Amino acid sequence: MVAFLRATLGFEQEIMKQAADRLAEAEASASTDHRKAQKDPHAFRSSIYPPGSEFALCHAETQLMSAVIGVLNESLTESIKGFYKLRKAYVTLDTILAAEASYMRKREGLGMSSPAQRSAASLRSNRSARSMKGGAVNGAGVAPSIRPSPLHAEDKTADGSTAPERNEVKGGIHGPNVNEEESDEEFFDAEDDHKDDKLPEYMGNLEINGQSKKPKNGFTKDGAEPPKQLPERLDLLTHDPDSDIFSNPIDVFIHSGANLCFGLLLVMISMIPPAFSKLLFIIGFHGDKERGVRMLWQASKFHNINGAFAGLIVLGYYNTLIGFADIVPDNDPAILKENPTEGYPRQRCEALLQDMRARHPKSHLWLLEEARMNAFNKHLTRAVRMLDTSTKSPLKQVEALKMFEKSLDAMYSHDFALCSTSFIACVSLNNWSHALYYYIAGAAQIELYRAHKLTDPATAKKHAAKADELLHLAPQHAGKKKFMARQLPFDVFVTRKLKKWDTRAHEWSCPFVDAVGVSPLEEMIFFWNGYKRMDDAQLSASLTHLSWSSDPQQNSQWKSHESGADERAVLAVLTAATLRNLRRYDEARQILQRDVLSVDRSELKGGLRDDWTAPAAHYEMGVVCWMEKDALGVVGNGNGGTRDPASLTEKKVRECEAWIEKAAKWEGYELDARIGLKIATAQDTLKRWFERWKGERRG
C-alpha cells in the first residue's frame, strides 16, 4: 500500500516501476495463501465469508492497485492490461459482497421459505454464474449484492437439493485457483430476457384473518406479513464497528476492504467523462456513484488501513471532485437526511476529518485534507497558511502534494509571487508535468508585469523577462509524460498557447508579453474551478485582472489589432464564470450570448484558436440556469419550494439539461476530458433531480 501511494502521489516512472514489482509479488503471495486457506481444515472459517476470503480480498486489492499503476504508465498496452485487471478484481469483490448479502438474509430471517422463492433464487444464481464468466453483471450494472449468494452450501435449487459448485468459483471466491485460460479470456453477452434481478413481486390482494391486504414487498411467508427488508435500501451490511457481527478482526478486514475497493470502483467508473465513455466497454460494467460513496463511508468507520484509505478517498471526493463541479445536488438538510451521499455533508465530513486526525496525529495527509476543506469553504488564506507553516513530511510525494495544493490556493487568492515560486518548487519535488508548472509560474509573472507596467516600469521589465523565460521553458518539457500512450492534455494546451503568442508577437511587432492577451492565470483558475473557492472580494479581483485585456489604456494591442473572435470568446467565458459565482446571472448570460453563442463555430476552432470556448459556454449557460433555480425554490426541498409542475423552477432545470446535453455531445476539443468531468457530474445530478421531482409529483 505504501509503495502504491508513493507511486500514485508522485507519478514518478522509477517509483511506479518499483510499486508494480512489489504489487506483483503481493499478488502472487495472496494467490498462494488463498489456495492454502481453502484446503487447510485448520484455517480461519468465517460465519459470513467463504474460506480464504481474506486472501482473495488481498488478491483483488493488489489487482486494483496494479491496474491504477498500469493506467498511469506511459504504455497503452499496460493501460489495457490495467483495465482487464479491474474487471477480474470486480468479480472477486462481487462474490465477497454477495456472501454478505446472503448472510444478512439469513440473519434477518429472509431465508428460502417457499418453492417459488427457491426457484427464483436458482434462476438468478444460474444467470449470475454466466455473467461472472463474462466479467460483467448481466451487462447492465445491476448491483451484485441483490442476487442471492451462490457461495453457501445451504443455498438450494428449485427441487431443494444443494446447488452444484460453479466451475468459475472454487471455494466461493473467483480468484487465483481459477483456470483463467477458460474463465477470463472470453466475453459473453448477457441475456436480455429478464430486465430485473429482483425477486418477482406478487401485486395482488391477500386475505389474512378475513381482511384483504396488499403485500408491500413481494412474497409473503406462509400467509404472514411480508418479510422485512435488509438494512438500507441498497442491500448493504451497514453496521458499526461495535456490532456483534464484527467480533472477529478478520471479518472486519474483509468487510472494510471489500467496501473500500468496490466503493472506489463504482465511484471511479461513474465519473468517467463522456470523452472516455468507450473505456466502459473494456471494463464490462457500470458505475454507481451513490452506492459507491455509501460503501466508502461504511469502510471509513473501521480503525484499520482500509478505513484510513477510505477516509482519504471520501474527503478527496467531496473536497476535490465535488469542489471541481458546479452542478451538484442541493445541500438541503431534508435531502441529506434521506440520502447522505447527495450534496456536500459538511458536518459529516468535518467529523470524519476530526476523527482521522485523532487516529493518525502525525500523518500529513490529513493536514492536506484539512487545508483542502478550508479552500473548499472559501478560506484560501487559512489554507495557504496551514500548508506553509506545517512541518515537512518524511514522504517526498506527500510534500509534493502539499506544495502543489499551496500553489493552487495561492493562484486562487491572487498571491502571484507565492504562486510563481511555489509552482517552480513543484518542479524539484515532482516530475509529472513540468510543462504545467512552468506555464502557471510564468502566467503569474505576466500578472505581476501588468500590475507594474504603468506605475513601475523597471519592476515590470524584470517580471516580463521572468515571464518570457518561464513560459518558453514550458513547451521544452511538454510531451515527456504520457497517459495511455497519449500526450498529456495540458501539455498539448501549453504548446499551442506558446505558438499562438509567439506568432502574434511576430505579426504585431510587439514584445512577447504584450502578445499574451487574456489573463492566462485566470484561464488556469477557470480550468481548476478556482472561482468556486473564492469569496466575493477575490472574485471582484478576478474581474479586475480580466478587464485589463480589453482596457485600451493598459493594453493597446487589444484595440489596435482587433483581437480575434476566439480571444474575445476566452474573455467572455472567464468573465461569465466569475459573474456567475458573484450571482450576477443576467450579466453572465448576456456576455456568453453576445461573444460566444452568437459567433459562427468556424471562427472558434482550427489553427491556433482556443476551441474549448464554445462547449464551455454551453456548459456555463447550463450552470447559470441551475444557479437561478435556487432563487425560485427547489421542488420538494422541504423549505416551502413550489410543487407546480409548470413552475419556473422546473423550466430552469429543463433549460439547464438542454444546455448540458449540447455540451456533452460536442465534437472533440482541447481539454475536453477536463470539462467533460464537470459535464458527467452535471448529468448525474440532473438525473437524480428529475427522479426526485417525479417522486414529489406522484406523492
Side-chain angles (χ1 to χ4, degrees):
M1 184 71 82
V2 172
F4 169 75
L5 283 172
R6 289 184 66 205
T8 53
L9 295 180
F11 299 110
E12 297 166 273
Q13 196 65 32
E14 183 59 31
I15 300 297
M16 284 198 287
K17 184 179 182 304
Q18 292 175 12
D21 293 341
R22 291 287 298 276
L23 288 168
E25 293 175 11
E27 189 173 346
S29 176
S31 174
T32 301
D33 289 338
H34 177 226
R35 285 195 296 269
K36 289 180 180 178
Q38 287 180 308
K39 297 176 182 178
D40 185 359
H42 302 292
F44 170 72
R45 292 294 185 263
S46 170
S47 60
I48 305 175
Y49 309 101
S53 293
E54 63 271 32
F55 299 111
L57 172 64
C58 290
H59 190 251
E61 287 184 334
T62 57
Q63 287 177 320
L64 285 175
M65 289 187 282
S66 295
V68 174
I69 297 296
V71 172
L72 294 177
N73 202 293
E74 296 179 10
S75 165
L76 179 60
T77 303
E78 291 300 317
S79 299
I80 298 299
K81 287 181 180 178
F83 282 111
Y84 179 63
K85 283 197 172 188
L86 284 183
R87 187 179 69 85
K88 293 202 294 183
Y90 172 87
V91 175
T92 302
L93 296 167
D94 173 6
T95 313
I96 292 174
L97 292 169
E100 283 190 0
S102 178
Y103 171 81
M104 290 305 296
R105 269 191 294 274
K106 294 169 186 175
R107 181 183 171 90
E108 300 297 325
L110 301 179
M112 302 302 177
S113 57
S114 72
Q117 284 176 295
R118 292 195 295 269
S119 178
S122 177
L123 170 64
R124 292 198 311 274
S125 181
N126 291 336
R127 292 185 60 221
S128 173
R130 289 191 294 272
S131 295
M132 286 179 68
K133 186 169 180 71
V137 180
N138 78 10
V142 177
S145 57
I146 62 175
R147 298 194 307 272
S149 172
L151 309 178
H152 293 269
E154 298 91 298
D155 289 346
K156 309 290 185 181
T157 58
D159 61 2
S161 62
T162 302
E165 217 174 20
R166 291 175 294 174
N167 291 332
E168 294 87 345
V169 182
K170 183 176 181 181
I173 296 291
H174 175 94
N177 58 327
V178 177
N179 185 340
E180 295 183 355
E181 291 287 325
E182 297 176 358
S183 65
D184 283 329
E185 296 300 333
E186 298 178 62
F187 290 81
F188 292 83
D189 290 330
E191 297 179 63
D192 56 4
D193 55 336
H194 298 284
K195 302 299 184 184
D196 196 348
D197 269 3
K198 294 181 180 179
L199 285 171
E201 294 186 353
Y202 171 74
M203 300 306 294
N205 291 322
L206 297 175
E207 189 169 295
I208 302 175
N209 296 330
Q211 296 183 347
S212 179
K213 294 186 178 182
K214 183 182 286 288
K216 298 179 180 179
N217 298 306
F219 288 111
T220 60
K221 183 163 64 176
D222 301 328
E225 290 289 343
K228 55 185 176 179
Q229 297 298 294
L230 292 176
E232 300 284 344
R233 56 192 177 90
L234 294 173
D235 197 18
L236 296 175
L237 200 166
T238 57
H239 294 65
D240 291 333
D242 56 1
S243 168
D244 61 342
I245 293 178
F246 300 120
S247 58
N248 190 289
I250 297 181
D251 285 344
V252 170
F253 174 77
I254 298 171
H255 172 74
S256 59
N259 276 267
L260 161 66
C261 295
F262 207 85
L264 177 58
L265 265 177
L266 293 176
V267 173
M268 283 172 55
I269 301 305
S270 71
M271 300 193 73
I272 287 183
F276 290 129
S277 59
K278 289 185 179 180
L279 291 177
L280 291 174
F281 291 105
I282 300 174
I283 304 168
F285 57 91
H286 299 266
D288 184 338
K289 188 186 300 180
E290 178 181 337
R291 186 166 187 260
V293 173
R294 283 179 181 271
M295 296 178 80
L296 289 169
W297 274 113
Q298 174 67 9
S300 70
K301 297 177 182 178
F302 296 88
H303 292 223
N304 56 19
I305 190 170
N306 295 321
F309 203 72
L312 277 178
I313 296 170
V314 164
L315 292 174
Y317 168 78
Y318 284 111
N319 295 328
T320 304
L321 293 176
I322 295 298
F324 180 72
D326 300 291
I327 300 178
V328 294
D330 305 296
N331 292 323
D332 182 82
I335 296 173
L336 283 173
K337 184 176 181 181
E338 176 189 348
N339 184 2
T341 66
E342 291 200 26
Y344 180 73
R346 183 189 304 271
Q347 292 182 343
R348 193 175 182 185
C349 286
E350 290 175 349
L352 175 62
L353 178 61
Q354 185 178 4
D355 183 32
M356 289 297 180
R357 290 212 69 180
R359 286 193 218 171
H360 315 282
K362 296 182 180 180
S363 173
H364 286 253
L365 287 170
W366 303 111
L367 178 72
L368 174 64
E369 290 303 328
E370 185 171 353
R372 284 175 173 169
M373 187 176 288
N374 274 299
F376 183 87
N377 293 327
K378 302 181 186 293
H379 303 309
L380 289 170
T381 303
R382 188 186 305 169
V384 171
R385 190 186 312 118
M386 181 176 295
L387 294 168
D388 208 24
T389 58
S390 64
T391 58
K392 279 195 172 185
S393 169
L395 202 59
K396 177 185 174 183
Q397 289 76 18
V398 175
E399 199 61 26
L401 263 185
K402 288 168 58 181
M403 182 61 71
F404 183 72
E405 193 68 25
K406 184 174 79 170
S407 304
L408 289 176
D409 291 342
M411 179 173 72
Y412 305 150
S413 56
H414 304 109
D415 190 338
F416 304 128
L418 179 62
C419 174
S420 185
T421 56
S422 297
F423 270 110
I424 292 173
C426 287
V427 173
S428 61
L429 291 171
N430 182 288
N431 65 359
W432 174 244
S433 183
H434 287 182
L436 177 65
Y437 302 155
Y438 282 124
Y439 180 82
I440 300 181
Q445 292 293 328
I446 289 286
E447 295 299 330
L448 291 169
Y449 159 73
R450 292 177 175 180
H452 294 91
K453 184 179 179 181
L454 299 180
T455 59
D456 189 349
T459 302
K461 186 177 180 180
K462 293 179 181 178
H463 290 301
K466 191 65 175 176
D468 196 320
E469 175 193 353
L470 293 172
L471 287 171
H472 281 97
L473 274 174
Q476 297 177 28
H477 293 270
K480 293 185 177 181
K481 287 289 178 182
K482 290 181 171 58
F483 179 74
M484 294 185 68
R486 297 180 63 185
Q487 197 171 355
L488 296 177
F490 267 114
D491 284 8
V492 177
F493 175 87
V494 166
T495 302
R496 180 192 59 79
K497 278 287 191 180
L498 265 293
K499 286 182 180 178
K500 180 178 182 179
W501 298 334
D502 279 330
T503 301
R504 273 188 187 168
H506 176 73
E507 292 177 350
W508 296 356
S509 299
C510 70
F512 170 79
V513 289
D514 290 332
V516 169
V518 177
S519 170
L521 198 73
E522 292 294 331
E523 196 174 33
M524 285 294 101
I525 290 174
F526 171 80
F527 282 121
W528 290 95
N529 208 4
Y531 295 129
K532 190 174 181 179
R533 292 166 173 79
M534 295 182 186
D535 58 27
D536 286 358
Q538 290 159 342
L539 288 166
S540 297
S542 280
L543 286 178
T544 301
H545 297 308
L546 288 168
S547 66
W548 188 95
S549 296
S550 57
D551 186 342
Q553 291 185 340
Q554 299 186 79
N555 180 21
S556 59
Q557 306 298 335
W558 183 272
K559 187 71 175 177
S560 61
H561 292 286
E562 292 295 331
S563 296
D566 76 310
E567 192 74 11
R568 292 194 299 273
V570 171
L571 179 61
V573 172
L574 302 185
T575 303
T578 311
L579 290 169
R580 184 251 302 165
N581 278 279
L582 282 167
R583 300 167 297 283
R584 292 159 62 177
Y585 306 124
D586 288 339
E587 295 174 67
R589 182 184 289 101
Q590 291 170 8
I591 290 174
L592 290 171
Q593 288 281 8
R594 183 190 67 209
D595 292 334
V596 188
L597 300 175
S598 62
V599 177
D600 190 283
R601 284 193 187 186
S602 62
E603 295 186 50
L604 302 177
K605 63 180 182 178
L608 298 175
R609 298 187 182 98
D610 289 84
D611 63 354
W612 57 269
T613 53
H618 283 75
Y619 170 79
E620 280 295 321
M621 288 290 285
V623 180
V624 167
C625 296
W626 179 258
M627 298 300 181
E628 284 180 322
K629 74 157 177 55
D630 292 334
L632 303 171
V634 182
V635 174
N637 67 354
N639 292 326
T642 177
R643 297 174 62 89
D644 181 4
S647 68
L648 289 176
T649 299
E650 181 200 350
K651 290 181 180 178
K652 283 294 180 185
V653 178
R654 292 200 179 280
E655 185 183 352
C656 168
E657 183 184 38
W659 286 111
I660 295 301
E661 286 304 310
K662 288 181 181 179
K665 295 176 181 177
W666 209 267
E667 60 189 358
Y669 55 91
E670 201 171 50
L671 298 179
D672 53 2
R674 195 157 192 84
I675 297 176
L677 185 60
K678 295 182 179 182
I679 292 172
T681 304
Q683 289 176 314
D684 182 66
T685 299
L686 288 166
K687 178 183 176 183
R688 293 176 184 276
W689 192 93
F690 280 113
E691 287 174 353
R692 189 167 63 251
W693 174 75
K694 289 176 182 177
E696 290 288 333
R697 292 188 67 186
R698 286 194 296 267

